[in-house]
Every structure is written in C-alpha cells, then in structure tokens.
Amino acid sequence: MSNAQYEVTIGLEVHVQLSTKSKIWCSCAVKTMAQVNSTVCPVCLAMPGSLPVLNRAVVEKAVLASLALNFQLNYQSFFDRKNYFYPDLPKGYQITQFFTPIAEKGFLELELEEGEKKKISLERLQIEEDTGKSQHASTGSLINLNRAGTPLIEIVSAPEIKSAQEAALYFKTLCDTLTFLGVTEGNLQEGNLRCDANVSLAEVGSKKLGTRREIKNLNSFRNVEKAIESEIKLQTEILSQGGKVKQQTLGFDANTLTIKVLREKGESSDYRYFPEPDVLPILLTEDDVSALKKKMVELPSEKRERYKSDFELSQYDASVLTQSKELALYFEEVMSLYKGKAKNAANWIMVELLRFLNEANCSPKNSPISPANLAELLLLIDSKVISGKMAKDVFEKMYDEKKSAKALVDELGLSQITSEEAIGKLIDEVIQKSPQQLSDYRNGKDRLFGFFVGQVMKLSQGKANPDLVNKILKEKL
Amino acid sequence: MKITPELTQKIADLAQIQLTEDESIYYASELAKIITSFEELSKVNTEGIDPLINPLFDHKEFFAHYQGTRPDEVQESLSTQQVLKNAPSVESGQFKINSFVEE
Amino acid sequence: MSTLKRSLLEAHALLKEKKISVQELTREAFSVAKLNEHNAYISLFEDLALAEAQKTDDLIARDGVKGPLMGIPYSLKDIFLTENLRTTAASKSLLNFISPYDGFVAKTLKEEGALLVGKNNLDEFAMGSTNENSAFGAVLNPLDKKTVAGGSSGGSAAAVAEGSSYFSIGSDTGGSIRLPANFCGLTSYKPTYGAVSRFGQIAFSSGLDQASPIARDVSDLHAVAQALLKKDPKDNTSIALPGGGLSSLEGASLKGKKIGIVKDYEGKVSPVVEEALKKAKEAAQKGGAEIVEVELPHAKYAVSVYYLMAPSEASGNLARYDGVHYGYRCQDAENIEELYKMSRANSFGPEVKKRIMLGTFALSVGYFDAFYQKAAKVRRLIQRDFQKAFSSCDFIMAPVCQNTAFEVGAKRETLDLYMNDLFTIPVNLAGHSAIAMPTEDFIHGKNKKATGIQLIASQFHDSELFKVSYALERELQGKGSKV
C-alpha cells in the first residue's frame, strides 16, 4: 500500500460513559447488566411533564477529566438541545453542550516508541447523555431504555493524529488516563468508551485538508487501528484514480474488517441547536475546582515516570505494571510494604502473578495473593529463609490455598537451613558417605565439587542455603 | 421572505409531520404571514445584547454552589410494567416498532 | 349563567363551623359539572371524588380542618399529570395516556386535602387564546355561551365561573390564565417564573410556562398560591421566593404605592377596556396610590418575540410525541419513517402543527440567528424596559386584552388572534408576576361583557403583589376584609 504521496489527517471524538451511580438527569441506577427496561423512570422515558435534574457527580467527574487532560475550564457553561428523531432517543432531542462546553483547549501526551512524546491538542470536553439501545429482529425492532440517560463526556481532538497506530494509541492513552482517574470504568466490552474517527487525505505539501469521512462507533483499540487502516486504503484508491472523496458517514464491520457507507453527510441533520431552558447553567468557583484538584490521582504516564526514576524500572516494566489501574495499585501496595528492590517485586508480578491472574481471568483487585502476602514472600526470599526456587512452589500454593507465605513455609517446614553448624553436620555426613569422591577431589578432580553440593542439597531436601554450602564445603574439602 | 410549499414540506420533514399537498399550501401561507410580521425585529438594534433564554439564568444565587443539582444517589425506578403501560406495542419487555437499520 | 354559590374561603368557614360536609360540597360541584353546559371538562372523577370526600369528612371529624384547601372541590387543567388518571393535553396524541406519577401540582393539592373534581378542557398543548383548539371541542363562556371562554386555560375559567369547582390550576405561558380569567370575570395569578414547580406539567415553552391558579377573588387565590409556592427538587428551575412565600393579606394597603401606567399601551384598547382601566386607576388613587407614567418601548415587539421563542421551545418539547414509547401511533405505518410522520400528523391539531413548524423553522440552519437568536436578544431589551420602569414605580397596571370575549367559532386571522396576548406576553418574557382581576362583579351582575386589568410586579415580589391586589380589589368591588 503506497500512500507516500498522501498525508493522513485524523481527528477523534471519544464518548466516555461516566462511572456514576445514578444517571445524569434522574436517579435511576447506571447498571450494565439489568433486565430490559428495569432502570427507567418518567424522566429517562421522556414522559410528558418530566424534567431533567443534573447529577452533581457528573460535573465533578467532568472537571476531573478536564484537569487531567490539561483543559481550560469554562467556569460557567450551559446545556443545549440537539434535536433529531430516533427510536432510542425518547425526548426527540439530546441534552448536550454545544455552544459553551465545560472545557476547551486541552492536550493529551502520547508516549511513542523510543521515549519520544507527542502532544495531541484537544478542542473540547462536553457533558451529554447516552441513548437507549435497539435490537433488531425480522418482526420489528425492539427498544430498551435502560441506557438512556447514562452520563457521557465527549472529548474532541484536533485533527493532529497522523496514522492508524497513533489513533489507537490515542484511544488507549485516553482510556487508561480516565480509568485511572476513576471517571469511567474503562470497560470497552461494555461500551464504556466509543470512538468516532474522522479521516482525510491530502497530497503531501498541500495546504488544504482533504474531504473527510467519519467512521462511527469504534469500540476497541484494535478496531480503531484496523478501521482507519482500511479507510486510508480506500481513500488512497479513490484519490489515486483521480476520484473525489465524498463527505460520508461510515460504519466498520469488525468481523469482516470492512468499511460500509451508512449515509451521505449532505442529506443529514440540521440539529437546530438551541439553549436548553430546563437546565440551569453550571457555575464553578475557584473553591469547587481546588476541592476537585485535591481529588486528582496520579495518572498512568506520571506513574510510569515515577517508576522509572524512583524505582529504576525500565520503560517496558513500567508499561506492563501500569496496564491497568488495579495492577499499578497492587504493585504500589506491595512496594509500600516490601521496601526492597523494585525489580524483584516487578518480576514476580509481571511473570508469576499475571500468569495466574490471566489464566483465571481474575483482576489484581481480587487476587488470592494479597499485596501484603506477596511482600512477605519477597522479604522471606531476601532474608534467605527460602530460596528463589522454593519460593515459586510456595507462591503457587499461596495462590491456590490463599494462605500467607509465612504460614506455608512453617507448615511445610520449608525454612532454609542457614546455621553453619547444621550445614557443617550435613557436609560431614556426605563426606563420610563418599570417601572415593573425596580422595578423587583432593587429587585434582575439581568438578566433583558440584557432586558434593548436589548431595548436600539432596540430603537437606533443598533447604540448605546454597551460598553457605559452598563456603563451608570449600573449607572442609 | 418567501415561504413556499416546498420549503414548508422540508420544515415538516424536519419536524417529522406528514403533510398533504393541500396542507403544505395552507401552512405555507400561514407561516408566510406570521414570519413576515416578524421582520419588524430586524429593525431593532441588538448590538452587544445578550440573549435572554430563561429569567433565572441571570440569578446566580439560584445555582451557585451546586444548588440546581442533585446528589449521586440511586432511587427506585418504575417497574417494567409501568414503563410499558402506555406503549402502543410491546415484545419481550421492550418497545416494539417497525424494523429500521441502525446508523 | 353562574351557579357560583360561594367563595373558597366561605366554603372553608362553613366546613370549620360544621355547617356543611365535604360530601355535600362535592355533590354540589358534580351536579353542576355533569350538566356540562360549557364543555369545561375533559374528564370527571365522580366516584373517586365521593370516596375521597367521605374519607376527608372522617378526617375532619377526627382532627378538624387542617388548612383552607382541605375538602374543597377543585379542578386541574388537563396538562397536569395525575397518577393513574388520564391526562390528555386536549390532544389526540394523549387520548388515553395514564400517568404513573403525580406531578408537583396534583401531589401538593392532594397533600392539602383538596378534592379533585376533574381535568379541565384547554387549547391543545396550551397553544391558543380562545380554547377552540381542543380535540374535545370548544369551551363556552359561562357569562355568555355565544362567546369564547378564552384560552388556553378556558376550561379552568369556565369550571370556576360555572360553579363546578372553587378554584382551578391553569397555566400561563403568554397570558393563558389571565386572558380566560379576564373573559369570565375571575381573578388569576401568574407567579414569578420558577416560583411554582413545573414537574408534572406538560411542557409547552419551558422558559415561560408557569402553573397559575384561577379563583373567585384575591383572597381565594392567596390561599391556593400559598400551598404551591415552594421549591421542588424535581424541577431545577423551581425556586423558593426570597422571604419565604406569601405573607398574610392583613393590613394590605395602596397608600404610598406608585402604580405605573404604560404609555405605549395607550389607545390600543376598545372603549370598554379603556373604561375599565380608567376605573381601576381611580380606585387605586382612592386607595392612596400615586399614578405615574412608565414606558415599555420594546413591548410592541413582544408578540413577535414570543411567537418565535415559544414555538421554538415547543418544537423540542413536543418531539417526544412520536408514537414510539407512549401516545398515539398510526397502525398503518409500513416503515419507521411513516410511523413517525403519520403518527404525528394524526396526533396534532392545526394550531399545534403550525407552531411546531414555526419553531422548527426559527431554529433551522440559516435562520437561527435572524429569528430565534434575534428574538432572544429583543427579549433582553424588554426585560430591561421593565427594570427601568420598576425603578420609578412599585407595580405596573395594564390591560389584559384589547377586547372582551368574542364570538365562538368565528373565523379569525392568526395574527389577530396572536395580538390578544399583546399585554400579557411581556410579563412572561421578563419572568415577572401578575394578578389579573375583574373591575366589577360580572358573575352576579347584569353586565356580562367581562373585562379587567392586571397588576404586574417585578420578579420575586409576589407577596407584595398579592397585598396590593387585595387592596385594589377592595376598592374596586367594595369588598370587606375576609382575612
């Protein structure tokens, strides 16, 4: 695929479901798994006479997101109506923020390869509401309004993204940032984040942007990348054959990896935006914002920096440990109790713990081995109570039986033998049993040292401390 | 300002109301009369004037300090039966309508 | 012809003195209501009301009469939602709509112990000034059945004037309670915007609508208003009036009050109305008030502003009537597009369709700035006119309508009809409060060409408005103090 003559320009609009307990305009629960039409009230059903009342937590989460994304807050912002008819939109309009959103002019920093960083400008962050869901059968379409009124923030990027990979990275970075912040659950399978991608191509060196097409409702990092790749290919074909790209709205079939045209943009929607008279303006004070600033948490990019500088971990290790909020918090909890070498903790978590957790599809939050337990295990290894090899067996037992390291070590009598006297006795016993090897060794067969080590370890059932064995054996042989 | 039956038909489409040909002629004439009378507004000097949307929006004392908002608490929803009680057509606990293709 | 036997407060006194029972009051009310002389009702709830009346009588026997509204038969404009009872907005779209919840107004009056007689007829979705736009037929004026009751709360006015309810709650968006009150010889109150919760009130124009009581006189109105004036968490645009609601009418006086007469309204009314205005002015002066001249130079644009902004909001508020989740659905629709377009075409009457299209047009791309936005800016200028006027007077006195009630069924030009609201609209645009009262007792007197005036107070001054209205009413009708 040669698109060397074309420069790609991508802008992304991401809709994020906020992790509040109740909906934006009413007190119905925000629940993903609920029986159809069971979290619906006169307000989200848009019954005659119903009125929207704003959920305070929505404003707070929107402000937190704005702060984390380096936005300028509009201390007074307003709501507007976006008018259109659709079966999953019971009011016949969506309450959104069109004219004066809560935040404008922010940026998101992407961590590219080789430590390179790139800032993507963000145009706006606005508060709005989600629609209901429809299901299609041969006899008709069915509407479930449970999701109607779920609070959303929409984040619009500037058209500064330059490749499909960058777009996927942007989506992932945004998702991680907002999940760590506690503003969203960040569960893509449940549709917590959805992305619309605007893609246009222009000849390299051209000052104008090409006509863009919009791919709607991409719901995974992979889909974002694949969809944009396909779209770039399609547009390149059109343009290189001398054709013109039409302003169209597209959908992406994730199964067949194909782009399909949903509608011609020209024939859409005059949304007749006008100020929402039913909702009072949002008015933030300095005190409100200061109070929220105190709730700011360390963001994933900040954690990675800290892990590299304070814990001397590599970029790779830092990235793995910050793959989810739960894992990062798990690691930090371990470190607060262990206080030893971070690399040790990191290795055990990244290799051993993750292996078990992934197999069991378990979140670090629910890990059978608590951070305290893992910290204890690491301390036992460091103080040489058990060897590294033994620790692996103990670890597996800890996971299966949910017992602490110390309890298991005691129970199984696994403590390493560290008394020089005891080791001396074991060595004496082995030497006694192996007179031939002894004389061979003393006559120059140095390799037999390993034999004696092995015999001591066997006799001690692996519990003898290897370093001490070496030391004392040297003395005695 | 010319309000033709064609423009009226477009407006009716936006408002999702079906009009017969006679109706589009009738409403075109009605709307034209009304809209023409509004043209007097164009003579009013509104330079630098803020629009007035709701008489309470100027009164910050009613919405400062989160007053116009509610706490993030869950309260009981309607039962599914109540939700569907006035529905013209229902299937599997959901509102049923003619099939449509999702956009 | 009116059978209005007594006022609300008189009925209350009789209940307290045990000279009458709630059941008697209720049966009396229904005997008039069922005659249906004026088409004042869309629904009547006789069995329910009589059962409720008996319970109320038992409560009174046990604990006495708790408040002035307890046991009093009343009615609601059929835009206020009532739990498990039909609410139609006088529209085919909601012919059989049963609400699962009580709106603020219904709930509050239920808690006060008032007795709901039925739901009053209105202009469909509160759009109209003659109550001829109802899917249930026109409402006739009890003072003269050949004339209109006025709109959009025509049914509310007719119900109180004919004597089938002691008070009704109507609504006022651009004059919809003051005009029918004016035509039927009754008194009405449009609260400061936000003073009464709109939760459970079918929306026409969100930034203008207010629930508005109508009753026989100011003191009856005062008793009703007191129950309704409180902040409701279910409507974020509802407020508590500063000073905590209405103060008592005791000691109400016109002495030293400056009453503004609007220069721009001069010469704009018929001789009958001119005469009424003159009478009211003189009564105010007799009571000790000073008459001053004020200006509302932009008020002449009020009708254009209103008929751009209100229909725009309505085009949004009525979008939910699409036949998908509730309401009327066209059964012949063969696809989703027809479902919407045919359902809505069959749901709404011509006036409603007209206004929806007007609003859709005013908001559409290319027209938004010149129409909706321009109107909103001129609305600001009207608000400023009022601010300036109120700096030189305490209250404004103005006519309610240029004419008295006109003939039912006569063909009228839309623009002429819209001009009915010329004097009432500016009050809603600025969010102020007003009380409209008759200038004589038309209900019991010979003169059936009812007319009156309105007193307008600045935002949040509803309490003072009541007092000065009470004082003026006393001067006009020679009523003794009831308080």
Side-chain angles (χ1 to χ4, degrees), chain C residues 439-451:
Chain C
T439 40
E440 65 184 79
D441 184 352
F442 296 100
I443 296 203
H444 299 109
K446 284 223 185 88
N447 180 10
K448 296 303 177 189
K449 283 243 162 277
T451 187

Side-chain angles (χ1 to χ4, degrees), chain A residues 28-39:
Chain A
C28 288
V30 173
K31 250 200 294 190
T32 32
M33 293 296 143
Q35 261 213 340
V36 288
N37 289 310
S38 65
T39 58

Side-chain angles (χ1 to χ4, degrees), chain A residues 180-411:
Chain A
F180 272 63
L181 198 49
V183 146
T184 180
E185 300 290 344
N187 187 329
L188 290 166
Q189 274 96 316
E190 289 181 356
N192 289 160
L193 283 95
R194 280 118 58 188
C195 177
D196 296 339
N198 291 288
V199 182
S200 71
L201 265 54
E203 280 190 21
V204 172
S206 155
K207 290 206 179 82
K208 269 178 62 183
L209 286 178
T211 307
R212 62 174 179 184
R213 303 207 298 186
E214 183 183 16
I215 316 168
K216 292 199 82 72
N217 267 323
L218 299 163
N219 58 5
S220 74
F221 312 139
R222 181 182 173 272
N223 283 346
V224 166
E225 188 170 338
K226 291 278 167 228
I228 295 176
E229 271 173 5
S230 303
E231 174 59 7
I232 292 172
K233 203 165 167 199
L234 285 172
Q235 286 199 26
T236 306
E237 272 169 31
I238 296 172
L239 292 172
S240 57
Q241 283 163 24
K244 276 206 166 87
V245 172
K246 285 191 272 184
Q247 240 199 331
Q248 290 163 322
T249 304
L250 314 169
F252 180 66
D253 187 329
N255 296 321
T256 59
L257 298 183
T258 46
I259 299 272
K260 57 185 192 304
V261 178
L262 295 177
R263 59 171 183 269
E264 305 291 322
K265 194 74 178 214
E267 59 183 48
S268 83
S269 323
D270 177 358
Y271 293 118
R272 288 157 281 132
Y273 290 100
F274 72 98
E276 171 59 81
D278 279 333
V279 184
L280 296 169
I282 296 176
L283 184 64
L284 297 169
T285 61
E286 281 302 344
D287 287 342
D288 296 329
V289 179
S290 307
L292 286 169
K293 278 192 177 145
K294 294 204 181 96
K295 287 194 185 172
M296 278 297 286
V297 303
E298 194 180 31
L299 300 175
S301 55
E302 292 166 344
K303 284 188 192 295
R304 286 191 282 273
E305 288 308 307
R306 182 162 66 89
Y307 294 178
K308 288 192 294 190
S309 62
D310 294 1
F311 293 140
E312 291 171 2
L313 292 177
S314 67
Q315 170 72 24
Y316 176 77
D317 289 353
S319 297
V320 175
L321 290 168
T322 54
Q323 66 181 233
S324 77
K325 182 174 166 187
E326 285 79 37
L327 194 64
L329 292 177
Y330 186 97
F331 166 68
E332 289 170 11
E333 177 82 17
V334 170
M335 286 311 295
S336 72
L337 298 165
Y338 167 52
K339 298 187 204 300
K341 259 190 106 177
K343 185 69 178 144
N344 292 343
N347 285 345
W348 275 92
I349 292 172
M350 294 190 310
V351 180
E352 303 300 325
L353 184 66
L354 272 186
R355 178 156 48 95
F356 288 152
L357 288 179
N358 288 342
E359 249 170 48
N361 207 11
C362 177
S363 157
K365 200 166 48 173
N366 301 325
S367 165
I369 301 178
S370 69
N373 285 351
L374 181 57
E376 190 180 58
L377 181 69
L378 293 169
L379 285 167
L380 288 175
I381 298 171
D382 278 2
S383 57
K384 301 190 198 302
V385 172
I386 50 171
S387 67
K389 184 177 174 300
M390 256 185 199
K392 284 212 175 115
D393 298 331
V394 175
F395 186 86
E396 189 164 349
K397 283 209 162 65
M398 280 166 73
Y399 193 95
D400 291 335
E401 295 171 35
K402 296 202 181 132
K403 291 190 181 146
S404 80
K406 209 153 197 296
L408 281 168
V409 163
D410 288 343
E411 193 186 299

Side-chain angles (χ1 to χ4, degrees), chain C residues 227-239:
Chain C
L228 296 174
L229 290 171
K230 55 188 181 197
K231 186 170 154 75
D232 178 13
K234 291 197 147 81
D235 173 3
N236 82 138
T237 60
S238 103
I239 58 163

Side-chain angles (χ1 to χ4, degrees), chain C residues 30 43-50 82 85-86 116-119:
Chain C
F30 276 99
S43 302
L44 283 172
F45 308 123
E46 191 172 12
D47 294 337
L48 202 63
L50 285 172
T82 41
L85 300 172
R86 181 170 79 147
L116 181 62
V117 170
K119 309 296 276 300

